[in-house]
Amino acid sequence: MNLYFIYTIILAYPIATEFSFGLRILDVILIGLVLFDALKSNKLTVKTTYLISILIVLSYNLFASQLTGAHATSEGFMLFAKLVVHALSFFIIKKMFEGFSDIELKRVFYLYTIVLLMVVTWCLISFAAEPLRRVGFPFSQTLVNDSHALGSLLSLSFLFLALNLKNIRKRRRLLMCFYIFLTFIASLITGSRSIFFLSIVCVILVSMRSLLLLNVKWLFVVSFITSLVLLLPLLRFAEIDLNDVRSIQFSLQNASEAKRLDRLINVMGELDQVYYAFGRGIITVDRLYFDGTLTFMLYNFGILGAIFFLAILARLGALYIFKGYPYILFATLAIASVLVSEFFLLARWYIPVVISYMLLYQSAERLRIKGS
Protein backbone atom coordinates (compact mmCIF):
# COMPACT_ATOMS: atom_id res chain seq x y z
CA MET A 1 0.00 0.00 0.00
CA ASN A 2 2.77 2.44 0.98
CA LEU A 3 4.73 1.62 -2.18
CA TYR A 4 1.74 2.41 -4.41
CA PHE A 5 1.20 5.69 -2.60
CA ILE A 6 4.81 6.71 -3.32
CA TYR A 7 4.26 5.70 -6.94
CA THR A 8 1.16 7.92 -7.01
CA ILE A 9 2.84 11.06 -5.72
CA ILE A 10 5.80 10.55 -8.07
CA LEU A 11 3.44 10.32 -11.04
CA ALA A 12 1.33 13.25 -9.82
CA TYR A 13 3.96 15.89 -9.05
CA PRO A 14 4.63 17.07 -12.65
CA ILE A 15 0.92 17.71 -13.29
CA ALA A 16 0.55 21.38 -12.43
CA THR A 17 -3.10 21.90 -13.36
CA GLU A 18 -4.65 24.21 -10.76
CA PHE A 19 -8.06 23.53 -9.20
CA SER A 20 -10.07 25.62 -6.73
CA PHE A 21 -8.32 27.70 -4.04
CA GLY A 22 -4.96 27.28 -5.80
CA LEU A 23 -4.85 23.56 -5.02
CA ARG A 24 -3.33 21.01 -7.38
CA ILE A 25 -3.77 17.27 -7.50
CA LEU A 26 -0.67 16.67 -5.38
CA ASP A 27 -1.90 19.10 -2.70
CA VAL A 28 -5.16 17.15 -2.43
CA ILE A 29 -3.27 13.86 -2.15
CA LEU A 30 -1.05 15.20 0.64
CA ILE A 31 -4.00 16.59 2.60
CA GLY A 32 -5.67 13.19 2.32
CA LEU A 33 -2.45 11.48 3.44
CA VAL A 34 -2.14 13.58 6.60
CA LEU A 35 -5.82 13.15 7.52
CA PHE A 36 -5.73 9.40 6.88
CA ASP A 37 -2.56 8.93 8.89
CA ALA A 38 -3.94 10.96 11.80
CA LEU A 39 -7.10 8.82 11.89
CA LYS A 40 -5.48 5.40 11.51
CA SER A 41 -2.47 5.91 13.79
CA ASN A 42 -2.80 4.05 17.08
CA LYS A 43 0.55 5.17 18.40
CA LEU A 44 0.13 7.93 20.93
CA THR A 45 3.73 9.06 20.46
CA VAL A 46 3.13 9.84 16.79
CA LYS A 47 -0.01 11.84 17.46
CA THR A 48 1.65 13.56 20.39
CA THR A 49 4.59 14.60 18.22
CA TYR A 50 2.23 16.09 15.65
CA LEU A 51 0.25 17.91 18.32
CA ILE A 52 3.29 19.30 20.12
CA SER A 53 4.81 20.56 16.86
CA ILE A 54 1.61 22.35 15.90
CA LEU A 55 1.14 23.81 19.38
CA ILE A 56 4.71 25.17 19.44
CA VAL A 57 4.22 27.06 16.17
CA LEU A 58 0.78 28.26 17.23
CA SER A 59 2.04 29.44 20.60
CA TYR A 60 4.93 31.30 18.98
CA ASN A 61 2.59 33.04 16.55
CA LEU A 62 -0.01 33.88 19.19
CA PHE A 63 2.74 35.36 21.35
CA ALA A 64 4.01 37.45 18.43
CA SER A 65 0.50 38.63 17.55
CA GLN A 66 -0.14 39.65 21.15
CA LEU A 67 2.98 41.80 21.12
CA THR A 68 2.10 43.46 17.85
CA GLY A 69 -1.67 43.67 18.18
CA ALA A 70 -2.10 42.04 14.75
CA HIS A 71 -5.19 39.99 13.90
CA ALA A 72 -5.55 36.57 12.29
CA THR A 73 -6.03 36.54 8.51
CA SER A 74 -7.29 34.01 5.98
CA GLU A 75 -3.84 34.09 4.34
CA GLY A 76 -2.29 33.27 7.70
CA PHE A 77 -4.46 30.20 8.22
CA MET A 78 -3.80 29.08 4.65
CA LEU A 79 -0.04 29.41 5.14
CA PHE A 80 -0.13 27.65 8.50
CA ALA A 81 -2.16 24.76 7.07
CA LYS A 82 0.25 24.38 4.14
CA LEU A 83 3.27 24.29 6.45
CA VAL A 84 1.61 21.72 8.71
CA VAL A 85 0.67 19.47 5.78
CA HIS A 86 4.17 19.61 4.31
CA ALA A 87 5.89 19.02 7.65
CA LEU A 88 3.70 16.06 8.59
CA SER A 89 3.88 14.53 5.11
CA PHE A 90 7.69 14.56 5.41
CA PHE A 91 7.60 12.36 8.52
CA ILE A 92 4.91 10.09 7.08
CA ILE A 93 6.87 9.55 3.84
CA LYS A 94 10.04 8.96 5.87
CA LYS A 95 8.24 6.23 7.82
CA MET A 96 7.07 4.65 4.54
CA PHE A 97 10.60 4.56 3.12
CA GLU A 98 11.93 2.91 6.27
CA GLY A 99 9.63 -0.05 5.61
CA PHE A 100 10.70 -0.59 2.00
CA SER A 101 12.92 -3.49 1.00
CA ASP A 102 16.01 -2.93 -1.16
CA ILE A 103 14.09 -4.09 -4.24
CA GLU A 104 11.23 -1.68 -3.50
CA LEU A 105 13.69 1.19 -3.10
CA LYS A 106 15.17 0.37 -6.51
CA ARG A 107 11.70 0.39 -8.04
CA VAL A 108 11.00 3.80 -6.52
CA PHE A 109 14.33 5.09 -7.84
CA TYR A 110 13.69 3.81 -11.37
CA LEU A 111 10.15 5.19 -11.49
CA TYR A 112 11.37 8.53 -10.17
CA THR A 113 14.12 8.72 -12.82
CA ILE A 114 11.66 7.74 -15.57
CA VAL A 115 9.23 10.49 -14.56
CA LEU A 116 12.12 12.94 -14.30
CA LEU A 117 13.22 11.96 -17.80
CA MET A 118 9.69 12.69 -19.02
CA VAL A 119 9.86 16.16 -17.43
CA VAL A 120 13.30 16.76 -18.99
CA THR A 121 11.93 15.66 -22.39
CA TRP A 122 8.98 18.04 -21.93
CA CYS A 123 11.43 20.91 -21.36
CA LEU A 124 13.53 20.07 -24.39
CA ILE A 125 10.52 19.70 -26.70
CA SER A 126 8.90 22.90 -25.40
CA PHE A 127 12.14 24.81 -25.85
CA ALA A 128 12.60 23.46 -29.38
CA ALA A 129 9.07 24.53 -30.28
CA GLU A 130 9.54 28.10 -28.99
CA PRO A 131 13.26 28.87 -28.47
CA LEU A 132 14.27 31.05 -25.52
CA ARG A 133 10.75 30.97 -24.08
CA ARG A 134 10.58 29.99 -20.42
CA VAL A 135 9.51 26.43 -19.72
CA GLY A 136 7.33 25.52 -16.75
CA PHE A 137 5.65 22.40 -15.39
CA PRO A 138 3.29 20.56 -17.76
CA PHE A 139 -0.27 21.97 -17.85
CA SER A 140 0.69 24.96 -15.71
CA GLN A 141 -1.27 28.20 -15.93
CA THR A 142 1.46 30.21 -14.16
CA LEU A 143 4.45 29.80 -16.45
CA VAL A 144 6.77 32.44 -14.95
CA ASN A 145 6.50 31.20 -11.36
CA ASP A 146 6.60 27.58 -12.48
CA SER A 147 9.72 28.09 -14.56
CA HIS A 148 11.68 29.16 -11.48
CA ALA A 149 10.36 26.24 -9.41
CA LEU A 150 10.99 23.74 -12.20
CA GLY A 151 14.49 25.14 -12.77
CA SER A 152 15.32 24.76 -9.09
CA LEU A 153 13.92 21.22 -9.05
CA LEU A 154 15.86 20.20 -12.16
CA SER A 155 19.04 21.68 -10.71
CA LEU A 156 18.63 19.60 -7.56
CA SER A 157 17.71 16.57 -9.69
CA PHE A 158 20.92 17.03 -11.68
CA LEU A 159 22.92 16.90 -8.44
CA PHE A 160 20.79 14.02 -7.09
CA LEU A 161 21.58 11.92 -10.17
CA ALA A 162 25.27 12.84 -9.92
CA LEU A 163 25.34 11.73 -6.27
CA ASN A 164 23.69 8.43 -7.27
CA LEU A 165 26.12 7.75 -10.10
CA LYS A 166 28.37 5.54 -8.00
CA ASN A 167 25.38 3.32 -7.15
CA ILE A 168 24.68 2.63 -10.83
CA ARG A 169 26.12 -0.46 -12.45
CA LYS A 170 29.24 0.28 -14.51
CA ARG A 171 27.67 -0.74 -17.81
CA ARG A 172 24.85 1.77 -17.26
CA ARG A 173 26.95 4.70 -16.05
CA LEU A 174 27.62 6.09 -19.53
CA LEU A 175 23.87 6.22 -20.17
CA MET A 176 23.32 7.85 -16.77
CA CYS A 177 25.98 10.48 -17.55
CA PHE A 178 24.10 11.36 -20.74
CA TYR A 179 20.88 11.56 -18.69
CA ILE A 180 22.60 13.87 -16.20
CA PHE A 181 23.78 16.07 -19.07
CA LEU A 182 20.22 16.34 -20.44
CA THR A 183 18.96 17.31 -16.98
CA PHE A 184 21.60 20.04 -16.82
CA ILE A 185 20.50 21.41 -20.21
CA ALA A 186 16.83 21.25 -19.17
CA SER A 187 17.57 23.27 -16.04
CA LEU A 188 19.14 25.99 -18.21
CA ILE A 189 16.14 26.06 -20.50
CA THR A 190 13.82 27.01 -17.64
CA GLY A 191 15.72 30.28 -17.21
CA SER A 192 16.61 29.49 -13.60
CA ARG A 193 20.07 30.37 -12.30
CA SER A 194 19.85 27.70 -9.60
CA ILE A 195 22.06 25.29 -11.50
CA PHE A 196 25.09 27.59 -11.28
CA PHE A 197 24.51 28.65 -7.69
CA LEU A 198 24.00 25.08 -6.45
CA SER A 199 26.90 23.73 -8.49
CA ILE A 200 29.21 26.32 -6.94
CA VAL A 201 27.98 25.50 -3.42
CA CYS A 202 28.36 21.78 -4.15
CA VAL A 203 31.93 22.20 -5.44
CA ILE A 204 32.89 24.28 -2.40
CA LEU A 205 31.50 21.73 0.08
CA VAL A 206 32.98 18.73 -1.75
CA SER A 207 36.32 20.53 -2.00
CA MET A 208 36.36 21.33 1.72
CA ARG A 209 35.44 17.73 2.52
CA SER A 210 38.15 16.38 0.21
CA LEU A 211 40.79 18.74 1.55
CA LEU A 212 39.90 17.66 5.07
CA LEU A 213 40.60 14.06 4.02
CA LEU A 214 43.59 15.05 1.85
CA ASN A 215 41.71 13.53 -1.08
CA VAL A 216 41.99 14.79 -4.69
CA LYS A 217 38.77 13.19 -5.97
CA TRP A 218 37.08 16.58 -5.82
CA LEU A 219 39.06 17.53 -8.94
CA PHE A 220 36.91 15.12 -10.95
CA VAL A 221 33.77 16.85 -9.69
CA VAL A 222 35.16 20.26 -10.59
CA SER A 223 36.26 19.02 -14.02
CA PHE A 224 32.84 17.50 -14.72
CA ILE A 225 30.87 20.61 -13.81
CA THR A 226 33.38 22.90 -15.57
CA SER A 227 33.13 20.82 -18.75
CA LEU A 228 29.34 21.23 -18.74
CA VAL A 229 29.68 24.99 -18.40
CA LEU A 230 32.27 25.11 -21.20
CA LEU A 231 29.79 23.39 -23.50
CA LEU A 232 27.49 26.42 -23.36
CA PRO A 233 29.26 28.22 -26.25
CA LEU A 234 28.22 25.30 -28.48
CA LEU A 235 24.72 26.78 -28.36
CA ARG A 236 25.98 29.36 -30.86
CA PHE A 237 25.88 26.66 -33.52
CA ALA A 238 22.13 26.60 -33.01
CA GLU A 239 22.07 30.35 -33.80
CA ILE A 240 21.14 31.21 -30.23
CA ASP A 241 22.47 34.39 -28.71
CA LEU A 242 23.81 33.56 -25.26
CA ASN A 243 22.92 37.07 -24.14
CA ASP A 244 19.27 36.00 -24.41
CA VAL A 245 19.71 32.89 -22.29
CA ARG A 246 18.40 34.08 -18.96
CA SER A 247 20.05 31.30 -16.91
CA ILE A 248 23.55 32.66 -17.45
CA GLN A 249 22.70 36.33 -16.92
CA PHE A 250 22.96 37.95 -13.49
CA SER A 251 22.63 41.59 -12.57
CA LEU A 252 21.01 43.57 -9.81
CA GLN A 253 19.43 45.60 -12.62
CA ASN A 254 17.39 42.58 -13.74
CA ALA A 255 13.75 42.52 -12.65
CA SER A 256 14.07 39.24 -10.72
CA GLU A 257 17.11 40.18 -8.63
CA ALA A 258 15.84 43.72 -8.06
CA LYS A 259 12.44 42.43 -6.91
CA ARG A 260 14.00 40.08 -4.36
CA LEU A 261 16.25 42.81 -3.00
CA ASP A 262 13.35 45.27 -2.86
CA ARG A 263 11.18 42.85 -0.90
CA LEU A 264 13.95 42.21 1.61
CA ILE A 265 14.47 45.96 2.08
CA ASN A 266 10.71 46.57 2.34
CA VAL A 267 10.28 43.86 4.96
CA MET A 268 13.13 45.31 7.00
CA GLY A 269 11.41 48.67 6.76
CA GLU A 270 8.04 47.25 7.82
CA LEU A 271 9.42 45.56 10.90
CA ASP A 272 9.46 48.12 13.67
CA GLN A 273 11.07 47.52 17.06
CA VAL A 274 8.20 45.29 18.21
CA TYR A 275 8.46 43.01 15.16
CA TYR A 276 12.23 42.64 14.98
CA ALA A 277 12.62 39.78 17.47
CA PHE A 278 9.58 37.63 16.68
CA GLY A 279 8.18 38.81 13.35
CA ARG A 280 4.49 39.23 12.58
CA GLY A 281 3.59 35.58 13.17
CA ILE A 282 2.26 33.25 10.48
CA ILE A 283 -1.40 33.42 11.55
CA THR A 284 -1.50 37.20 11.10
CA VAL A 285 0.33 37.58 7.79
CA ASP A 286 -1.20 39.58 4.95
CA ARG A 287 0.97 38.04 2.23
CA LEU A 288 2.28 34.58 1.37
CA TYR A 289 5.32 34.93 -0.89
CA PHE A 290 8.44 37.09 -0.65
CA ASP A 291 10.79 35.55 -3.27
CA GLY A 292 13.16 34.43 -0.57
CA THR A 293 13.04 32.14 2.46
CA LEU A 294 15.35 34.46 4.39
CA THR A 295 12.85 37.29 3.84
CA PHE A 296 9.99 34.89 4.62
CA MET A 297 11.57 33.89 7.95
CA LEU A 298 12.39 37.48 8.83
CA TYR A 299 8.82 38.65 8.16
CA ASN A 300 7.07 35.74 9.90
CA PHE A 301 9.53 34.86 12.68
CA GLY A 302 11.70 37.92 13.05
CA ILE A 303 15.47 37.99 13.46
CA LEU A 304 15.30 34.83 15.60
CA GLY A 305 13.70 32.95 12.70
CA ALA A 306 16.25 34.22 10.17
CA ILE A 307 19.14 33.25 12.47
CA PHE A 308 17.56 29.82 13.03
CA PHE A 309 17.31 29.24 9.27
CA LEU A 310 20.92 30.26 8.62
CA ALA A 311 22.08 28.16 11.59
CA ILE A 312 20.41 25.05 10.12
CA LEU A 313 22.08 25.69 6.77
CA ALA A 314 25.50 26.18 8.39
CA ARG A 315 25.03 23.11 10.57
CA LEU A 316 24.17 20.89 7.61
CA GLY A 317 27.17 22.18 5.65
CA ALA A 318 29.48 21.44 8.56
CA LEU A 319 27.96 17.97 9.02
CA TYR A 320 28.66 17.11 5.40
CA ILE A 321 32.25 18.35 5.59
CA PHE A 322 32.94 16.15 8.62
CA LYS A 323 30.63 13.20 7.89
CA GLY A 324 30.56 13.09 4.09
CA TYR A 325 27.14 11.50 3.60
CA PRO A 326 25.56 12.33 0.20
CA TYR A 327 22.09 12.83 1.71
CA ILE A 328 23.48 15.55 4.01
CA LEU A 329 25.05 17.28 1.01
CA PHE A 330 21.74 17.07 -0.86
CA ALA A 331 19.83 18.45 2.14
CA THR A 332 22.29 21.33 2.38
CA LEU A 333 21.88 22.13 -1.30
CA ALA A 334 18.08 21.89 -1.08
CA ILE A 335 17.94 24.36 1.80
CA ALA A 336 20.50 26.65 0.13
CA SER A 337 18.34 26.64 -3.01
CA VAL A 338 15.45 28.29 -1.18
CA LEU A 339 17.51 31.19 0.17
CA VAL A 340 16.03 33.34 -2.61
CA SER A 341 12.79 31.44 -3.12
CA GLU A 342 9.97 29.78 -1.18
CA PHE A 343 9.55 26.65 -3.26
CA PHE A 344 9.12 24.56 -0.10
CA LEU A 345 5.54 25.88 -0.12
CA LEU A 346 4.94 24.27 -3.54
CA ALA A 347 4.14 20.56 -3.32
CA ARG A 348 5.32 19.95 -6.91
CA TRP A 349 8.81 21.10 -5.82
CA TYR A 350 8.77 19.89 -2.24
CA ILE A 351 7.69 16.26 -2.79
CA PRO A 352 10.27 15.26 -5.46
CA VAL A 353 12.98 16.89 -3.32
CA VAL A 354 11.82 14.89 -0.29
CA ILE A 355 11.79 11.66 -2.33
CA SER A 356 15.30 12.38 -3.63
CA TYR A 357 16.49 12.94 -0.06
CA MET A 358 14.83 9.74 1.17
CA LEU A 359 16.42 7.66 -1.57
CA LEU A 360 19.88 9.00 -0.72
CA TYR A 361 19.27 8.63 3.01
CA GLN A 362 18.03 5.03 2.80
CA SER A 363 20.89 4.07 0.48
CA ALA A 364 23.47 5.45 2.95
CA GLU A 365 21.75 3.88 5.97
CA ARG A 366 21.61 0.42 4.42
CA LEU A 367 25.22 0.57 3.33
CA ARG A 368 26.16 1.58 6.85
CA ILE A 369 24.19 -1.31 8.36
CA LYS A 370 25.74 -3.82 5.94
CA GLY A 371 29.21 -2.51 6.72
CA SER A 372 28.79 -2.68 10.48
Side-chain angles (χ1 to χ4, degrees):
M1 181 67 179
N2 290 343
L3 184 62
Y4 289 110
F5 174 79
I6 298 298
Y7 287 168
T8 301
I9 60 176
I10 290 174
L11 292 170
Y13 88 79
I15 303 174
T17 303
E18 185 176 325
F19 301 111
S20 301
F21 306 106
L23 295 175
R24 290 170 171 79
I25 185 171
L26 188 56
D27 295 308
V28 176
I29 293 173
L30 292 182
I31 293 171
L33 169 67
V34 171
L35 293 175
F36 177 75
D37 185 78
L39 292 173
K40 80 175 182 63
S41 179
N42 295 320
K43 294 182 179 180
L44 183 62
T45 53
V46 176
K47 289 187 175 181
T48 302
T49 302
Y50 291 173
L51 183 60
I52 290 175
S53 301
I54 294 172
L55 287 177
I56 288 174
V57 178
L58 271 176
S59 299
Y60 183 93
N61 281 269
L62 289 173
F63 176 70
S65 63
Q66 287 296 316
L67 286 177
T68 61
H71 300 286
T73 63
S74 58
E75 291 87 354
F77 282 110
M78 185 188 303
L79 179 59
F80 179 72
K82 184 179 283 286
L83 290 174
V84 169
V85 169
H86 281 199
L88 296 186
S89 62
F90 174 86
F91 293 107
I92 296 171
I93 292 172
K94 182 175 183 294
K95 186 177 178 182
M96 289 180 179
F97 269 83
E98 289 172 352
F100 290 159
S101 65
D102 291 345
I103 294 177
E104 288 174 328
L105 282 176
K106 286 183 179 179
R107 290 174 179 172
V108 171
F109 174 77
Y110 286 129
L111 178 62
Y112 180 73
T113 53
I114 289 171
V115 173
L116 177 59
L117 180 59
M118 293 171 64
V119 174
V120 168
T121 304
W122 159 270
C123 291
L124 297 174
I125 292 175
S126 299
F127 181 77
E130 297 185 58
L132 301 181
R133 179 175 179 268
R134 289 187 185 181
V135 179
F137 281 88
F139 314 113
S140 173
Q141 293 93 3
T142 54
L143 180 62
V144 174
N145 292 335
D146 264 344
S147 65
H148 288 295
L150 181 58
S152 175
L153 176 60
L154 289 174
S155 300
L156 287 169
S157 298
F158 161 75
L159 296 166
F160 164 74
L161 293 174
L163 291 172
N164 266 294
L165 191 59
K166 66 178 181 180
N167 297 325
I168 304 299
R169 293 179 181 179
K170 290 184 178 180
R171 60 184 180 183
R172 297 179 181 176
R173 286 184 183 176
L174 184 60
L175 180 62
M176 180 57 72
C177 287
F178 179 67
Y179 183 13
I180 292 171
F181 174 72
L182 289 180
T183 307
F184 174 81
I185 296 300
S187 67
L188 290 177
I189 288 171
T190 63
S192 173
R193 302 177 183 87
S194 297
I195 186 65
F196 295 106
F197 170 68
L198 293 180
S199 296
I200 290 171
V201 174
C202 182
V203 168
I204 291 173
L205 290 174
V206 171
S207 299
M208 293 178 70
R209 166 72 180 168
S210 301
L211 289 173
L212 181 67
L213 300 176
L214 299 179
N215 193 328
V216 295
K217 287 184 178 180
W218 66 275
L219 290 174
F220 291 99
V221 178
V222 175
S223 299
F224 176 70
I225 295 174
T226 302
S227 64
L228 290 179
V229 175
L230 290 176
L231 286 173
L232 286 176
L234 294 179
L235 291 174
R236 292 189 182 278
F237 293 108
E239 298 182 354
I240 294 175
D241 187 354
L242 291 180
N243 292 324
D244 294 327
V245 181
R246 185 178 182 277
S247 301
I248 58 176
Q249 307 300 322
F250 179 83
S251 172
L252 291 178
Q253 302 301 317
N254 290 336
S256 180
E257 289 86 346
K259 183 173 65 174
R260 285 177 168 84
L261 186 59
D262 278 345
R263 291 195 176 182
L264 176 59
I265 294 173
N266 289 338
V267 166
M268 289 295 295
E270 290 178 10
L271 297 177
D272 57 25
Q273 293 180 357
V274 179
Y275 286 88
Y276 275 137
F278 300 100
R280 285 188 55 116
I282 288 179
I283 301 299
T284 62
V285 300
D286 54 11
R287 69 189 76 175
L288 297 178
Y289 301 105
F290 297 89
D291 285 328
T293 299
L294 194 60
T295 309
F296 174 89
M297 294 296 291
L298 187 63
Y299 181 82
N300 292 295
F301 297 99
I303 293 177
L304 294 178
I307 292 174
F308 179 73
F309 173 76
L310 294 175
I312 290 177
L313 183 59
R315 173 64 174 166
L316 283 172
L319 274 177
Y320 171 72
I321 292 171
F322 290 102
K323 299 292 184 181
Y325 291 118
Y327 68 88
I328 298 178
L329 175 59
F330 183 81
T332 306
L333 296 172
I335 293 179
S337 71
V338 296
L339 269 170
V340 291
S341 68
E342 293 144 284
F343 299 140
F344 62 89
L345 294 174
L346 305 178
R348 58 193 180 280
W349 181 93
Y350 178 74
I351 288 302
V353 169
V354 168
I355 290 175
S356 300
Y357 171 81
M358 293 301 173
L359 286 168
L360 289 169
Y361 176 78
Q362 287 299 322
S363 176
E365 281 294 291
R366 296 181 190 212
L367 284 174
R368 183 183 62 81
I369 292 173
K370 289 177 181 179
S372 60

